[in-house]
RNA sequence: UCCUCGGUAGCUCAAUGGCAGAGCGCCCGGCUGUUAACCGGGUGGUUGCAGGUUCGAGUCCUGCCCGAGGAGCCA
């Protein structure tokens, strides 16, 4: 059998016999004692002379294939010298349990076919700087660590959507090209739209308000763009945001939905990726176990007192800065809502508290461990006259917001919503210091490549 | 945009103003259970760019470019 597979390895012309099934590495434990084929790439290789190890990855995991000189034809054994890091290949071999092998299983190699011998690979299994890695992001994604992060991101998105779908929210896609700003404050990417100007969306929220009046409970999920020259570990110029919006929901309901949603997502990731978080990312998952409702609710007034008590001179009326958010979050063992910010610190559409018009019915959710704001939202102004006033006060053109004002003309109701930053959520769950590793191809102030 | 730090071999980094080096990668050789394997040998340089000071500049000075960390803004 080994002879036969070896001959095929040499010619490389034909596939393996039908009796050798193609298996993905994640499923090797179901094939102990069988001969299988793995299709993948060489992750690393080691040699001890007459016994040699090929570490093969296939996107689902890594397995070492063992080459023994006395058990293989020389032309197969010598392929070890030819194969380079990240060469594409197929290997055949017998699956066996082996405590000395990483992952607990290994392949007793019987055949090896090289598809392409890779040129010298830039990312060696050693340390690299962030600029080098970012320049090679298209290759960096092959590394074990990046694979775990991307799989967590995939699971986070799936979990968010599963919860919302199960709670009768309807996915309504918001446009990317828009004629107007949402917040009216942040800098937008401008582009030509035939004879006029268009802007890349910074939020789908206004459109979700329209959709909520049609469907009751809706959400959008897509990329958003901010042309701010932010240069911090929490900012990207292109990032993905989940924005639920609910008719007939007040601020309390808004916060209740958020804590249920976030708790569900964290639990899902822990359940399916807990061991990978610990083993590959070295993430201490104990703090994540605490993420269960209810989350503490802290009024802005009390948050200010907390910050001032720590010696920070922050006057009432100012928005909280990143260090302040960290300071507040340190007082709690799970995410904390800060609600009822001063109206002047928030966007024009935030509804003032009827009992205290100087504060808005809004809330930000601050993640623990210094990760800061992961959601922001609140109750929207539902009164036509007040909304018109707020537009005017913020110097926003009434014409572009005509459709938005229509929502207050035709059957207005109290409604609330929020936005969740996917990258910040993933960074927090994975315990990463910077959001740039949580998106496949990050767009930053000085990065548009690859 | 502002503040701070940095830019030396393909990569990660050393080098009192005095011969530009190490580890990894790569090439050659050795090793029958390796774990970022190990051991021996070899290869590898416009010290970010432009100017200046000096007998002499990777090192000091000026300007510019690029990057990192932080601030503001926000998710």
């Amino acid at each position: 059998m080994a002879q036969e597979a070896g001959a095929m390895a040499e010619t490389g012309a034909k596939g393996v016999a039908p009796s050798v099934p193609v298996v993905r590495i994640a499923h090797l434990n179901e094939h102990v004692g069988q001969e299988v084929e793995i299709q993948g790439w060489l992750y690393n290789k080691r040699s001890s002379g007459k016994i040699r190890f090929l570490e093969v990855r296939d996107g689902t995991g890594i397995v070492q294939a063992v080459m023994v000189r006395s058990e293989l034809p020389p032309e197969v054994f010598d392929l070890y010298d030819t194969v380079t890091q990240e060469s594409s290949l197929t290997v055949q071999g017998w699956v066996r349990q082996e405590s000395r092998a990483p992952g607990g299983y290994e392949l007793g190699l019987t055949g090896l076919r090289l598809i392409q011998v890779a040129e010298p690979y830039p990312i060696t299994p050693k340390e690299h700087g962030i600029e080098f890695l970012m320049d090679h992001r298209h290759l960096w994604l092959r590394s074990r660590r990046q694979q775990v992060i991307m799989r967590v991101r995939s699971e986070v998105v799936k979990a968010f959507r599963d919860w919302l779908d199960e709670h009768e929210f309807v996915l309504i896609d918001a446009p990317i090209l828009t004629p107007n700003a949402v917040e009216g404050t942040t800098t937008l990417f401008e582009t030509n739209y035939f004879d006029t100007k268009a802007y890349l969306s910074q939020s789908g929220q206004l459109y979700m308000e329209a959709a909520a009046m049609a469907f009751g409970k809706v959400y959008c999920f897509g990329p958003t763009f901010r042309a701010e020259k932010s240069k911090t570990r929490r900012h990207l110029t292109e990032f993905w945001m989940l924005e639920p919006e609910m008719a007939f929901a007040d601020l309390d309901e808004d916060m209740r939905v958020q804590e249920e949603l976030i708790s569900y997502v964290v639990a899902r990731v822990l359940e399916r990726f807990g061991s990978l978080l610990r083993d590959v990312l070295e993430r201490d998952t104990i703090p994540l176990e605490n993420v269960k409702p209810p989350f503490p609710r802290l009024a802005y007034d009390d948050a200010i007192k907390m910050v001032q008590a720590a010696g920070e001179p922050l006057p009432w009326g100012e928005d909280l800065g990143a260090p302040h958010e960290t300071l507040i979050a340190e007082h709690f063992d799970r995410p904390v809502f800060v609600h009822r910010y001063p109206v002047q610190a928030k966007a024009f559409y935030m509804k003032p508290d009827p009992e205290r018009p100087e504060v808005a019915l809004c809330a930000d959710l601050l993640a623990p461990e210094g990760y800061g704001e992961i959601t922001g939202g609140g109750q929207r102004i539902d009164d036509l006259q007040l909304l018109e006033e707020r537009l005017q006060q913020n110097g926003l053109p009434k014409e572009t917001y005509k459709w938005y004002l229509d929502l207050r003309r035709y059957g207005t109701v109290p409604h609330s919503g929020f936005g969740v930053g996917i990258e910040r959520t993933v960074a927090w769950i994975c315990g990463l210091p910077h959001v740039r590793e949580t998106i496949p191809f990050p767009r930053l102030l000085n990065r548009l490549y690859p």
Side-chain angles (χ1 to χ4, degrees):
Chain A
M1 190 65 201
Q3 204 74 25
E4 212 176 299
M8 275 185 288
E10 193 182 38
T11 63
K14 294 189 175 182
V16 291
S19 58
V20 180
V22 175
V23 170
R24 303 198 84 191
I25 292 169
H27 298 291
L28 276 181
N29 58 345
E30 302 159 20
H31 298 272
V32 174
Q34 296 173 26
E35 188 177 26
V36 301
E37 173 174 304
I38 303 288
Q39 303 175 327
W41 298 263
L42 187 73
Y43 194 70
N44 198 6
K45 63 178 183 180
R46 289 182 291 274
S47 170
S48 182
K50 297 189 179 68
I51 182 165
R52 296 168 165 178
F53 302 87
L54 300 177
E55 274 196 316
V56 177
R57 62 168 193 88
D58 73 346
T60 72
I62 298 173
V63 68
Q64 74 175 19
V66 186
M67 310 174 87
V68 180
R69 167 164 275 169
S70 57
E71 296 171 5
L72 286 171
E75 67 272 19
V76 177
F77 190 74
D78 290 342
L79 284 175
Y80 176 91
D81 297 319
T82 308
V83 66
T84 55
Q85 188 188 355
E86 286 304 323
S87 288
S88 44
L89 47 78
T90 62
V91 290
Q92 297 85 43
W94 295 93
V95 182
R96 59 188 179 230
Q97 209 158 4
E98 172 55 67
S99 59
R100 289 170 293 186
Y105 297 90
E106 68 177 19
L107 219 55
L109 187 141
T110 54
L112 168 62
R113 187 167 68 94
L114 299 185
I115 296 167
Q116 188 237 352
V117 176
E119 293 176 26
Y121 193 66
I123 305 179
T124 58
K126 289 286 174 183
E127 287 173 22
H128 299 280
I130 190 64
E131 185 185 3
F132 178 82
L133 288 170
M134 279 299 182
D135 283 342
H136 296 85
R137 183 62 173 169
H138 51 297
L139 303 177
W140 190 20
L141 288 172
R142 302 181 185 192
S143 77
R144 199 192 310 248
R145 181 183 163 82
Q146 298 307 312
Q147 298 233 331
V148 170
I149 296 169
M150 287 309 129
R151 283 177 179 274
V152 168
R153 179 190 171 100
S154 175
E155 186 66 24
V156 164
V157 171
K158 183 83 161 55
F160 270 127
R161 292 207 48 197
D162 282 352
W163 191 92
L164 290 165
D165 293 346
E166 282 162 21
H167 288 78
E168 301 185 302
F169 283 75
V170 182
L171 175 69
I172 301 291
D173 300 312
I176 303 293
L177 292 167
T178 60
N180 54 301
V182 172
E183 315 279 345
T185 50
T186 46
T187 318
L188 304 175
F189 285 106
E190 191 182 298
T191 184
N192 289 329
Y193 194 75
F194 305 110
D195 294 332
T196 181
K197 285 176 185 171
Y199 304 90
L200 298 186
S201 174
Q202 61 166 192
S203 167
Q205 182 203 311
L206 268 47
Y207 295 97
M208 289 307 100
E209 290 186 54
M213 299 307 139
F215 298 91
K217 294 198 286 185
V218 298
Y219 69 99
C220 64
F221 176 60
T224 47
F225 307 87
R226 306 269 167 102
E228 296 290 339
K229 296 202 169 180
S230 300
K231 191 170 160 49
T232 83
R233 62 180 63 192
R234 299 177 305 282
H235 289 87
L236 299 165
T237 54
E238 176 181 314
F239 65 100
W240 287 65
M241 194 155 58
L242 181 84
E243 295 179 282
E245 192 73 27
M246 301 166 282
F248 299 101
D250 61 10
L251 177 61
D252 286 339
E253 172 71 359
D254 199 40
M255 289 192 280
R256 202 189 58 74
V257 168
Q258 289 181 53
E259 65 190 1
E260 292 290 335
L261 177 62
I262 296 293
S263 299
Y264 176 80
V265 169
V266 170
R268 264 275 291 269
V269 175
L270 277 181
E271 178 195 329
R272 302 189 184 182
F273 289 89
S275 56
L276 283 175
L277 286 180
R278 288 184 289 270
D279 297 345
V280 179
L281 302 182
E282 293 174 332
R283 186 5 166 167
D284 177 8
T285 54
I286 304 287
L288 295 176
E289 309 277 355
N290 296 325
V291 182
K292 288 170 186 159
F295 295 166
R297 286 143 168 81
L298 185 69
Y300 169 86
D301 296 354
D302 297 324
I304 283 285
K305 285 175 194 160
M306 197 176 269
V307 170
Q308 288 170 345
E312 292 277 325
L314 186 69
W316 194 96
E318 295 279 306
D319 203 356
L320 300 172
H324 306 131
E325 291 181 350
T326 303
L327 197 150
I328 292 163
E330 275 170 0
H331 286 77
F332 304 93
D333 69 344
R334 65 195 69 196
V336 54
F337 287 110
V338 178
H339 61 86
R340 291 178 173 79
Y341 285 71
V343 286
Q344 69 264 27
K346 288 292 169 181
F348 74 92
Y349 50 73
M350 295 289 192
K351 184 181 173 77
D353 188 341
E355 294 173 16
R356 284 183 64 197
E358 73 275 17
V359 298
L361 293 171
C362 64
D364 287 352
L365 183 65
L366 309 183
E369 302 169 84
Y371 282 91
E373 185 181 346
I374 51 170
T375 83
Q379 201 170 330
R380 326 302 190 187
I381 292 172
D382 47 57
D383 179 74
L384 177 63
Q385 221 171 359
L386 179 58
L387 190 57
E388 284 177 330
E389 282 172 26
R390 298 287 283 138
L391 278 175
Q392 198 174 11
Q393 286 164 7
N394 284 270
L396 296 169
K398 209 173 165 182
E399 310 78 55
T400 46
Y401 290 91
K402 182 178 178 301
W403 68 268
Y404 186 62
L405 291 164
D406 272 356
L407 305 176
R408 280 72 182 171
R409 280 195 177 92
Y410 306 110
T412 190
V413 298
H415 62 289
S416 301
F418 57 94
V420 188
I422 296 299
E423 288 77 17
R424 288 186 182 180
T425 304
V426 174
W428 165 49
I429 292 175
C430 289
L432 305 176
H434 199 300
V435 292
R436 65 189 160 208
E437 280 183 75
T438 65
I439 187 166
F441 296 96
R443 295 295 173 246
L444 298 153
L445 182 53
N446 294 314
R447 179 159 298 277
L448 196 55
Y449 175 94

